[in-house]
Amino acid sequence: MDPILLYTIVSSRVYFDKSGLAHGFLFGSSTSTQEYVCTEHSMSKDLEINHVIHPITALVFIGFKSGILLLAGEGPYLKVFDHGTTRLVAVRRVFKSQAVHGITAITATASVDGATVLELLIWGHRCLRLAQLRDNAAAGKPGIVIHLKEEIQADDWILDVHFSPCISTASQEIDAVLVTAENAALLLCRAPRCYYPTLKPVTAGSTCTLYSACIDWTEEGRVLVASGTVLGEVLFWSFFLTALDADVKSPVSAQLLYRFTGHEGSVFGVRISPQPSGFIFGHGKRLLASCSDDRTVRIWDVSDLDGNEAFPDGILEHSELFMMSMSDETDKISAERCMATVMGHASRIWDVRFLVSNERLDIFSFGEDGTAQAWQLIPKASFEGLPSTGLNNFSLVHQRTYANHVGKNLWAGAHFRHGNGTHTIGTGGADGRIVSYDIRHVDNLLTGQHPTSRWTIEDVAAQLERTKTFPSTSTQLSDSYRLFKALHGKWAIGRTIKSSLPTYPSGKFKGEATFERRPPSAEEYHDEYLYSENGTFEADLGMTFQASRQYVYRYHSSSNVISAWFVKPDDGSTVDYLFHELQMENIRDVEDRQAFHDKLVLKARAYHLCVDDHYTPDYSFRFKDGFLDDWSLTYHVQGPQKDYIAEACYTRAAHHDDETEEHNTMVALPPSTKCNNSQLDDWEFGNDDIKSYVFLHGASFLATTAQGRVLRGSLDTPAGNHTEVEKSDPRPRVSWEVIEQSEALKSSSITTKAVGSGMILLSGNNGTVFICDIPKKKISSIIDLGRKAAYLYAQSILNREFARESDSQTHLVLATSLGRSIAHVWQCVGSMADDVRRLSLLALPGSFLVTSASYIEAFEMWILGSRKGKMAFYNGSQISIDNVREPRSILADIHGEDAITIIRCLREPELDQAAYIMTTGRDGYYALHTLSISRNTLEQSELQFHTVHRSMPPFGPNIEGASFFEDPDRQFCNLILWGFRSTQFVVWNASKDQETMVVDCGGAHRNWSYCPAGDGGSDGGTFAWTKASVCNIHSQKHASHQVFQPGGHGREIKAMAISPPVQAVDGSINRYIATGAEDTRIRIWSFDHRHGSDTGFRCRGTWTKHTTGIQQLNWSHDRRLLFSAAGCEEFFAWRVQPVPFIGIGAVCEAICPKVTTECDLRIMDFCIQRTDSSRPDVPDSEGNTYLISLVYSNSSLRIFHYTSHPTNSHFSLLQTTTYGTNCLTAIIHLHPLMHRSKHSYLCTASSDGHLAFWPADPISIYPPREPDPDHRNNIPFTFSHRHRIHQSTIKCISAIAVSATAPNDFVVLSGGDDGALGVTRLTLPFGEGGGEPPKCETLLYPKAHAAAINGIAYMTSAGGSSHT
């Protein structure tokens, strides 16, 4: 017997390369974290880590001389990334085993030996370490270097650390202040000329246990501490460092400023606002944010620092009797000081951050659900604009959710504010991914770096008027809508309230009102304003306070009515219910308007009943020279609760902007003028909107309107001559021009761009197909379908037969029309289709509605996709004008019963090669297929279509398109997918497994178009869509966020398997590493030792089909199949193969049928064995066959026969049995080394500590072939022998064949829940079908580990070495 190397792992798995001792792989997991470790091992040295992925537990941005750096704590490592390039510039192990929980940096930098130096403090659990970050570029040396100092141990868990602002005593220099889990403050001090600092207590701890803490400083040397307790309290206390004695030996007096209650769970995060914030009340406020187990975020006002609860000994605690007497007072103070509360996230919230921007305050929260959410703190809207004076009259309004991680737990968050008002947020999660995204405020809205530009058809017409793109037109804008548009902008307001009741105050209000335009919140409305006013109310009795109110004003184009609506008081912007509708007085006809153009007064009345109180609003709008200069609004309110008159006068604010002026002048009534182009006459704003889009390229698109107009929009390229307003507004600037108008394009239209060229086709309501000539600004009809077009497709081809010039372009056009089961095919020669001829008619199968098409030029074949997931193939090699061509083949269920949205040939095949076809569908999947034609004879050929890859990205369910882009930095192409997730449009980079664009557009049921970035960058693009008759343009050149580290699984890793050697697409030989986790995903990794740790270990694919956590994985002998097991009896067989463009392709070729109705039955383990073809009922033509044995959580064992075949893979149940009342936990197959031996056993482990041996020869497993009426061969399948090894559950087993001289001898290794390691010598009997039981002898190591052994592996040494 050869010597054996034996490895046991606690909560991990270990695998070794069978070619020798060169390399090994260790993948581990625990209940709270997941990590990957790739190691190298040799006989002469210890394990050496090559690559590791830990959860990210700490993040911080620092401004360094060379730029912004992002520091990340990943396990015990400190990583430094360059924020501009996302490149890893330095990494250093900080602690031996403890994870990094926090990083803080001193704000000032120093210079040492010509290098820029930044001091750092890094902590985790009780460990604290000082470090220096050195930038050696100034000293002429390359790179960022991390220098570590001595490690210091605290007595308790460290929650927060803050550098001191250069405070010292007579004998000590204070470096930092720490707060521990016992609510005690410690000082990090150094004596003069002493290099090593020490920790000294400054305030004693309390009996309460903390989960979170935050430290801040005041200019007076006062330390502020906020802490969150396990019991849901928030403590805010302080002390003065100036009270320290010279030797820092005695505690200082601490003051408990506030004790807040209200949280219903443990407080996991607290944060003090970075500085006294002047965003509200007109003066500074210091705020405190807290988050909790109860999923709430609370904001507290802690501006008053005059606390009166002093504790000379520094102990922050009270007696139980005192706390009972103070509970009512504490609750009262908490209620008064709590400014706002909001419930967010799907689970616990770990941390919060403040974002302060001028007059605005935002809060970011990071949760267990793996998302970061943004909230804005705003005053609540109150009825009649008279708010109460309490501090709790505020709301946290949700702004946006950032979901850039997989799995659970966002452990780390960081924030950096740039000088231009932009903020950068960084997040790190349990998946090991690190991302950052930039945000800014546009029109008081929190957006990314790529906000959206919005255009109504009126805005487009106004720009065309200004730029003289077409002459002035006779506009038919209604007076109500002209009035509505004139309200836009800011107004100075003065209101006088005269009340007859003493319960309702009289007084005067003075302030500013704003009509802020926004997209209509309901589809039936044409335009919408958010009205808000803010100012000061001075009561007649002398009381003065701030007041505000919000309404929503809407315009309904069909009824020509302006209405006012209440908003919900919790956010101040969401429409609640109707207030009143404006009833306009009679207005003179258009012919008479110019007569009173110099002076015009429009009046409107309304009515509203509020319970028993009657409201009668009277509006009066005064125009001068056609412009709205001022207007008034008078409320007459009568009822049992209210009796007053409120008179308000609005005048245009002196500082209104150019956009306000533009909207105000829209009400001018100029004389009617005729347009030189008759096609542009009578542009009716209220009845026209954009119906369809098609992109010429990323910076230019065509749009058609309901009135049949063809518009071209061009995104302006930023230049140096933009104004400061334009520079501060990053929204896309669009220049519009009119191409032409056609009656045939009214109401509805279809637009498409030819694949492979820039030809644009349009079709409208009568079946005419137009081609668009952009330079000449005209459209020309080329095809007449006779009926309205249902689908239109064009593709550029290489023209050999009809080309008249060498540079002539040739296109094939395919179109279908409503109500006809025929597809027309035309050939168009020339860039403007100068020569058009019909080639053929394609017969569509019944109920076949075409949704996608592609022409394979090498095979001269059309492929059509339908709304029901079918694909039809047609020969297209010959011209057939009169005969209708029938489909050559029809394939169903390509994308289930859902529409196939795109068909693309990724590579035109050479002779005798297969074409690679990509399809996407609304079932949420994208797939790659091979299409080939094998010629049996000269006249006959066989069509072969095989799916080689099928995957579901995480954004679904609608995938609408896909493209491949070459990435010069990677070996493979970038696969870009786009589609819809609920109300969001999402662009997904499947190669990088990351989201690159998210736009909240309202969903898929609208007119839209998307153009990926055309420069090959693949991380940007332009998206255009229509919502509520408004054209929206979103354009970005880069991804919505930066990825510093891609990470891996977001939950615990439960399974791992390494494939046999495989030849990759590039010809290299390596192994694939498959991992499965509780996040239900299977990831495929490759590890190339020829490259560094950053590029050598890569995720090559992610598969999502399981609905529960993965339990086990296993490769077949030839690595062509990967088997996966999970809960709910899910057992899948995946066919894996190298595929161009994506690297590794995978298809779930079969699903094991469920035998029971127990929905929560888990597959605990399984083993596979390839069978031979000696049985006549297993023919070779059906491909490889396997025996698969599975053990379940209900103590059952099942054996399946699996046949793997490209078109007919299936499972057949052979045996099912039950072990007993104990759960089966593991299974292995024991096959003797004798050539073609049929004597084999299954070995199972169970929760009772036993090994059980089951005869697994064909007689025992396979059912009898011949009828057996007497049941002579019907032998029950059961175990033949049990052998006890462990006291409790056996967690893992592995077997080693001893040698060829003892073919029936094995060594079975077992690891138990009792921490024991078992080594059992096993001799199998030579008989078949359960004869003599196996012989077992066990050697047990009872204390091999201090915890359960969850993984075990072995390897034989090379060259007969004696190492064991």
Side-chain angles (χ1 to χ4, degrees):
M1 176 179 177
D2 293 332
I4 296 172
L5 293 176
L6 177 62
Y7 292 84
T8 59
I9 310 296
V10 180
S11 300
S12 307
R13 294 181 181 272
V14 61
Y15 293 81
F16 289 94
D17 192 326
K18 295 181 180 179
S19 62
L21 301 181
H23 306 293
F25 300 94
L26 167 64
F27 278 54
S29 68
S30 68
T31 57
S32 60
T33 62
Q34 58 86 21
E35 65 180 87
Y36 317 81
V37 184
C38 290
T39 66
E40 287 192 1
H41 176 76
S42 67
M43 300 300 296
S44 61
K45 65 177 183 179
D46 295 331
L47 291 173
E48 177 182 338
I49 295 177
N50 275 4
H51 189 81
V52 60
I53 301 177
H54 283 286
I56 307 302
T57 51
L59 282 179
V60 65
F61 286 104
I62 60 172
F64 216 39
K65 187 174 182 180
S66 58
I68 301 174
L69 300 179
L70 175 60
L71 277 60
E74 182 182 3
Y77 297 91
L78 174 66
K79 290 186 173 182
V80 181
F81 297 89
D82 185 300
H83 179 260
T85 62
T86 70
R87 186 173 57 91
L88 179 66
V89 295
V91 62
R92 186 75 183 271
R93 186 167 192 144
V94 179
F95 302 117
K96 182 177 181 181
S97 58
Q98 174 59 46
V100 174
H101 289 158
I103 309 166
T104 186
I106 198 167
T107 56
T109 59
S111 180
V112 178
D113 297 331
T116 304
V117 177
L118 187 70
E119 297 288 339
L120 302 175
L121 273 173
I122 309 166
W123 70 91
H125 194 196
R126 297 170 52 240
C127 305
L128 178 69
R129 195 153 198 176
L130 280 164
Q132 284 185 344
L133 199 63
R134 295 192 178 187
D135 185 358
N136 294 319
K141 300 178 182 178
I144 301 288
V145 180
I146 304 172
H147 290 275
L148 298 177
K149 300 181 180 179
E150 289 295 321
E151 182 179 321
I152 306 171
Q153 291 283 336
D155 294 332
D156 199 3
W157 194 295
I158 301 172
L159 296 180
D160 195 25
V161 179
H162 202 293
F163 274 104
S164 68
C166 301
I167 295 178
S168 62
T169 65
S171 60
Q172 300 284 333
E173 182 178 345
I174 301 173
D175 286 331
V177 175
L178 294 70
V179 174
T180 67
E182 291 184 351
N183 209 23
L186 305 177
L187 297 182
L188 185 66
C189 305
R190 284 181 296 178
R193 296 181 299 278
C194 180
Y195 179 78
Y196 299 106
T198 58
L199 289 177
K200 294 188 177 183
V202 63
T203 63
S206 63
T207 56
C208 60
T209 302
L210 305 184
Y211 271 170
S212 57
C214 179
I215 304 172
D216 198 9
W217 298 77
T218 66
E219 296 179 356
E220 301 83 11
R222 189 177 191 177
V223 180
L224 303 178
V225 180
S227 51
T229 71
V230 176
L231 300 179
E233 290 184 324
V234 178
L235 306 178
F236 188 65
W237 53 283
S238 70
F239 60 90
F240 286 90
L241 288 180
T242 55
L244 292 171
D245 57 18
D247 296 327
V248 196
K249 293 183 178 180
S250 302
V252 299
S253 176
Q255 286 182 308
L256 180 61
L257 304 177
Y258 298 102
R259 183 189 298 268
F260 295 132
T261 60
H263 283 295
E264 297 180 359
S266 301
V267 179
F268 292 121
V270 290
R271 190 70 51 181
I272 304 172
S273 59
Q275 57 188 3
S277 306
F279 79 104
I280 202 165
F281 291 133
H283 60 279
K285 284 289 181 183
R286 189 185 301 274
L287 305 181
L288 170 65
S290 60
C291 59
S292 169
D293 194 15
D294 61 4
R295 298 166 46 205
T296 64
V297 175
R298 292 176 179 264
I299 306 298
W300 314 87
D301 180 13
V302 292
S303 303
D304 186 4
L305 301 182
D306 297 331
N308 53 13
E309 295 184 38
F311 306 95
D313 56 357
I315 300 178
L316 301 176
E317 62 180 77
H318 292 294
S319 66
E320 182 178 354
L321 181 62
F322 178 80
M323 286 304 300
M324 292 177 61
S325 65
M326 292 294 293
S327 60
D328 293 340
E329 184 67 20
T330 300
D331 293 342
K332 180 181 179 181
I333 295 176
S334 300
E336 292 177 351
R337 289 286 170 176
C338 184
M339 299 178 63
T341 302
V342 69
M343 176 173 286
H345 294 270
S347 52
R348 293 175 289 186
I349 306 175
W350 298 128
D351 200 3
V352 287
R353 288 285 193 280
F354 281 100
L355 270 70
V356 181
S357 300
N358 299 327
E359 299 300 317
R360 178 187 174 110
L361 183 68
D362 293 283
I363 291 92
F364 266 72
S365 56
F366 311 93
E368 186 183 21
D369 58 1
T371 67
Q373 299 194 22
W375 312 84
Q376 183 187 3
L377 182 67
I378 62 173
K380 290 182 180 178
S382 62
F383 186 72
E384 287 300 309
L386 300 176
S388 62
T389 58
L391 288 174
N392 56 357
N393 199 37
F394 293 84
S395 296
L396 282 171
V397 181
H398 186 265
Q399 301 292 298
R400 193 170 179 181
T401 297
Y402 298 86
N404 299 316
H405 297 264
V406 297
K408 297 174 64 175
N409 293 316
L410 230 57
W411 293 122
H415 164 240
F416 187 86
R417 181 177 181 179
H418 303 268
N420 60 358
T422 303
H423 299 262
T424 298
I425 301 295
T427 57
D431 57 355
R433 172 173 288 193
I434 303 173
V435 302
S436 75
Y437 37 89
D438 295 333
I439 60 174
R440 64 185 302 163
H441 301 101
V442 177
D443 287 347
N444 203 34
L445 295 176
L446 184 70
T447 70
Q449 283 295 85
H450 314 284
T452 298
S453 175
R454 295 176 174 86
W455 294 81
T456 65
I457 200 68
E458 296 80 20
D459 297 330
V460 176
Q463 187 196 87
L464 295 174
E465 291 272 9
R466 292 196 309 270
T467 58
K468 306 300 181 183
T469 306
F470 66 82
S472 299
T473 63
S474 176
T475 57
Q476 303 295 323
L477 186 62
S478 69
D479 291 279
S480 295
Y481 190 45
R482 286 179 177 277
L483 171 62
F484 187 87
K485 291 180 67 64
L487 292 173
H488 180 271
K490 296 181 179 180
W491 301 84
I493 175 177
R495 180 184 292 116
T496 301
I497 299 177
K498 296 180 181 180
S499 177
S500 301
L501 299 178
T503 56
Y504 199 88
S506 299
K508 296 181 179 180
F509 172 84
K510 187 176 181 180
E512 187 177 71
T514 303
F515 285 85
E516 181 182 356
R517 194 173 194 177
R518 68 182 190 181
S521 52
E523 295 282 351
E524 62 268 22
Y525 289 93
H526 182 74
D527 212 342
E528 183 172 303
Y529 290 127
L530 174 62
Y531 170 86
S532 59
E533 64 178 45
N534 292 277
T536 303
F537 180 80
E538 182 177 354
D540 291 347
L541 299 178
M543 180 177 60
T544 302
F545 53 87
Q546 300 294 313
S548 66
R549 75 166 71 181
Q550 288 83 27
Y551 293 120
V552 169
Y553 279 81
R554 290 169 159 178
Y555 174 71
H556 194 276
S557 59
S558 299
S559 60
N560 195 30
V561 171
I562 301 173
S563 56
W565 298 72
F566 290 110
V567 296
K568 293 183 178 180
D570 55 347
D571 62 10
S573 61
T574 304
V575 176
D576 197 356
Y577 60 95
L578 178 66
F579 187 11
H580 58 260
E581 292 183 345
L582 278 69
Q583 303 297 325
M584 307 296 298
E585 292 184 354
N586 291 332
I587 305 176
R588 303 181 188 182
D589 295 334
V590 177
E591 290 78 6
D592 300 330
R593 289 178 185 169
Q594 194 63 28
F596 59 93
H597 185 206
D598 294 336
K599 189 174 182 180
L600 173 65
V601 178
L602 300 181
K603 293 185 178 182
R605 300 200 70 182
Y607 174 77
H608 173 72
L609 178 64
C610 178
V611 189
D612 295 326
D613 298 324
H614 300 266
Y615 287 75
T616 306
D618 289 322
Y619 291 84
S620 181
F621 304 96
R622 289 170 290 277
F623 296 89
K624 185 177 181 180
D625 297 329
F627 299 96
L628 181 61
D629 279 345
D630 62 272
W631 59 284
S632 62
L633 171 60
T634 302
Y635 280 98
H636 297 269
V637 183
Q638 289 184 340
Q641 302 297 326
K642 299 175 182 178
D643 187 0
Y644 68 89
I645 297 176
E647 297 177 332
C649 182
Y650 295 79
T651 57
R652 180 64 71 180
H655 57 278
H656 64 277
D657 52 20
D658 293 338
E659 184 182 1
T660 301
E661 178 71 20
E662 172 192 324
H663 282 266
N664 190 37
T665 58
M666 289 296 292
V667 80
L669 306 175
S672 176
T673 57
K674 289 294 182 180
C675 178
N676 294 331
N677 186 348
S678 60
Q679 291 181 329
L680 299 175
D681 283 347
D682 300 329
W683 185 305
E684 298 181 3
F685 296 116
N687 297 324
D688 204 2
D689 55 16
I690 295 178
K691 290 296 184 182
S692 66
Y693 303 88
V694 61
F695 276 93
L696 308 176
H697 48 79
S700 181
F701 62 92
L702 289 187
T704 62
T705 74
Q707 294 300 317
R709 293 176 175 85
V710 180
L711 307 175
R712 180 183 180 182
S714 301
L715 274 66
D716 293 344
T717 302
N721 57 352
H722 286 304
T723 65
E724 291 300 321
V725 175
E726 291 173 327
K727 291 179 180 179
S728 62
D729 188 353
R731 289 175 293 190
R733 292 179 292 275
V734 183
S735 298
W736 296 90
E737 60 179 328
V738 178
I739 301 299
E740 200 167 342
Q741 182 181 7
S742 172
E743 289 289 332
L745 297 177
K746 279 190 173 181
S747 300
S748 65
S749 59
I750 298 176
T751 55
T752 187
K753 178 183 177 183
V755 176
S757 74
M759 186 178 77
I760 301 296
L761 298 181
L762 308 93
S763 182
N765 49 34
N766 63 358
T768 303
V769 179
F770 298 90
I771 187 170
C772 186
D773 190 337
I774 303 295
K776 296 182 179 180
K777 294 186 179 181
K778 71 173 186 177
I779 58 175
S780 304
S781 60
I782 59 173
I783 296 170
D784 186 7
L785 297 175
R787 292 189 182 184
K788 182 178 179 180
Y791 178 76
L792 186 62
Y793 174 81
Q795 179 178 329
S796 174
I797 64 170
L798 180 63
N799 184 4
R800 296 185 178 91
E801 181 179 357
F802 298 97
R804 293 170 297 181
E805 299 177 2
S806 59
D807 59 347
S808 295
Q809 287 185 312
T810 302
H811 296 83
L812 292 182
V813 178
L814 182 141
T816 64
S817 54
L818 294 178
R820 291 182 178 176
S821 57
I822 294 293
H824 303 260
V825 179
W826 286 269
Q827 181 170 262
C828 304
V829 180
S831 58
M832 292 304 300
D834 303 314
D835 183 4
V836 180
R837 62 182 66 185
R838 193 176 71 181
L839 294 183
S840 60
L841 299 175
L842 307 181
L844 302 178
S847 302
F848 194 99
L849 299 179
V850 179
T851 56
S852 55
S854 184
Y855 181 75
I856 313 301
E857 191 170 359
F859 298 154
E860 297 181 328
M861 178 177 293
W862 278 100
I863 307 177
L864 306 184
S866 79
R867 185 176 294 179
K868 295 295 184 181
K870 296 181 179 180
M871 290 180 66
F873 299 82
Y874 296 84
N875 289 330
S877 58
Q878 298 176 354
I879 299 177
S880 178
I881 299 177
D882 299 325
N883 297 327
V884 178
R885 188 166 297 162
E886 297 293 331
R888 174 175 180 170
S889 178
I890 300 175
L891 300 179
D893 299 328
I894 299 298
H895 285 274
E897 294 292 327
D898 295 287
I900 301 175
T901 55
I902 193 172
I903 303 174
R904 289 288 183 270
C905 180
L906 302 181
R907 174 188 295 169
E908 283 290 344
E910 301 293 338
L911 184 64
D912 298 330
Q913 287 187 345
Y916 281 89
I917 309 297
M918 176 180 60
T919 62
T920 62
R922 293 193 179 127
D923 60 345
Y925 283 89
Y926 73 93
L928 265 67
H929 320 268
T930 58
L931 174 65
S932 59
I933 297 178
S934 60
R935 301 191 180 277
N936 301 328
T937 64
L938 293 177
E939 294 80 14
Q940 295 183 349
S941 60
E942 181 181 356
L943 181 69
Q944 296 181 346
F945 187 84
H946 300 294
T947 302
V948 296
H949 181 69
R950 179 177 168 87
S951 182
M952 174 186 286
F955 70 85
N958 291 352
I959 303 180
E960 300 293 339
S963 289
F964 277 96
F965 287 98
E966 294 289 342
D967 189 342
D969 298 330
R970 296 192 55 173
Q971 181 180 356
F972 302 101
C973 302
N974 272 330
L975 170 60
I976 308 300
L977 306 169
W978 56 87
F980 292 89
R981 174 180 59 208
S982 184
T983 61
Q984 294 178 326
F985 177 79
V986 180
V987 180
W988 180 266
N989 189 320
S991 301
K992 297 179 181 179
D993 196 28
Q994 72 182 48
E995 212 170 64
T996 61
M997 179 189 292
V998 180
V999 181
D1000 195 349
C1001 65
H1005 302 290
R1006 62 195 64 255
N1007 300 316
W1008 65 274
S1009 183
Y1010 172 71
C1011 180
D1015 56 358
S1018 74
D1019 283 338
T1022 305
F1023 177 54
W1025 77 99
T1026 300
K1027 181 179 181 181
S1029 302
V1030 177
C1031 168
N1032 299 265
I1033 308 296
H1034 179 97
S1035 182
Q1036 62 183 62
K1037 295 183 178 180
H1038 309 288
S1040 57
H1041 59 277
Q1042 290 181 299
V1043 178
F1044 295 82
Q1045 183 168 285
H1049 289 287
R1051 296 286 303 276
E1052 302 88 344
I1053 299 174
K1054 302 297 291 291
M1056 193 272 286
I1058 298 179
S1059 73
V1062 58
Q1063 183 173 0
V1065 176
D1066 60 356
S1068 61
I1069 303 296
N1070 52 33
R1071 298 176 185 268
Y1072 293 149
I1073 307 168
T1075 59
E1078 284 292 339
D1079 60 4
T1080 73
R1081 298 186 176 195
I1082 298 174
R1083 290 181 178 267
I1084 303 297
W1085 308 78
S1086 64
F1087 185 66
D1088 192 344
H1089 294 273
R1090 298 172 299 177
H1091 301 283
S1093 60
D1094 294 334
T1095 59
F1097 186 67
R1098 293 195 309 170
C1099 181
R1100 308 297 290 272
T1102 303
W1103 309 339
T1104 54
K1105 189 174 181 64
H1106 284 283
T1107 60
T1108 59
I1110 311 297
Q1111 298 292 321
Q1112 185 60 278
L1113 298 169
N1114 227 329
W1115 290 93
S1116 64
H1117 69 288
D1118 56 359
R1119 67 94 188 124
R1120 296 181 182 273
L1121 294 176
L1122 177 68
F1123 298 93
S1124 61
C1128 297
E1129 294 189 64
E1130 292 181 346
F1131 187 80
F1132 301 156
W1134 304 81
R1135 178 176 292 275
V1136 185
Q1137 56 188 311
V1139 175
F1141 307 105
I1142 62 173
I1144 300 175
V1147 178
C1148 182
E1149 67 174 23
I1151 300 176
C1152 184
K1154 297 182 180 181
V1155 180
T1156 67
T1157 58
E1158 300 181 42
C1159 60
D1160 60 345
L1161 195 60
R1162 286 181 298 157
I1163 299 176
M1164 305 298 294
D1165 196 12
F1166 69 92
C1167 63
I1168 59 175
Q1169 179 190 8
R1170 186 187 180 190
T1171 63
D1172 54 31
S1173 57
S1174 59
R1175 289 180 54 88
D1177 54 349
V1178 185
D1180 291 332
S1181 60
E1182 292 195 11
N1184 293 330
T1185 59
Y1186 301 86
L1187 280 180
I1188 304 178
S1189 305
L1190 303 95
V1191 292
Y1192 296 80
S1193 57
N1194 66 346
S1195 191
S1196 63
L1197 184 151
R1198 298 172 198 160
I1199 302 177
F1200 290 88
H1201 183 275
Y1202 177 65
T1203 301
S1204 175
H1205 191 269
T1207 60
N1208 187 27
S1209 299
H1210 59 276
F1211 287 88
S1212 300
L1213 179 63
L1214 301 179
Q1215 291 290 347
T1216 179
T1217 187
T1218 302
Y1219 173 71
T1221 58
N1222 294 283
C1223 177
L1224 292 175
T1225 58
I1227 185 170
I1228 56 175
H1229 193 276
L1230 303 175
H1231 192 74
L1233 296 179
M1234 296 176 61
H1235 181 62
R1236 300 186 62 84
S1237 173
K1238 298 181 181 180
H1239 307 87
S1240 60
Y1241 276 78
L1242 294 174
C1243 176
T1244 61
S1246 58
S1247 57
D1248 60 1
H1250 284 76
L1251 295 179
F1253 302 95
W1254 312 68
D1257 52 79
I1259 295 179
S1260 303
I1261 293 179
Y1262 285 93
R1265 304 174 188 171
E1266 302 295 334
D1268 187 16
D1270 299 331
H1271 303 286
R1272 295 179 180 178
N1273 296 322
N1274 192 10
I1275 304 175
F1277 183 71
T1278 184
F1279 57 86
S1280 62
H1281 181 65
R1282 294 172 67 221
H1283 179 66
R1284 185 180 182 89
I1285 298 178
H1286 295 269
Q1287 296 180 357
S1288 56
T1289 302
I1290 299 177
K1291 305 285 287 186
C1292 54
I1293 55 176
S1294 184
I1296 312 166
V1298 175
S1299 66
T1301 58
N1304 282 30
D1305 286 10
F1306 295 86
V1307 174
V1308 178
L1309 312 172
S1310 59
D1313 206 14
D1314 54 2
L1317 171 66
V1319 181
T1320 300
R1321 175 68 178 256
L1322 172 68
T1323 302
L1324 299 179
F1326 285 90
E1328 294 185 3
E1332 182 181 353
K1335 298 179 180 179
C1336 301
E1337 297 178 343
T1338 298
L1339 178 64
L1340 187 67
Y1341 296 88
K1343 295 183 180 180
H1345 283 282
I1349 302 176
N1350 291 331
I1352 192 168
Y1354 73 90
M1355 63 182 300
T1356 56
S1357 60
S1361 173
S1362 60
H1363 290 84
T1364 302

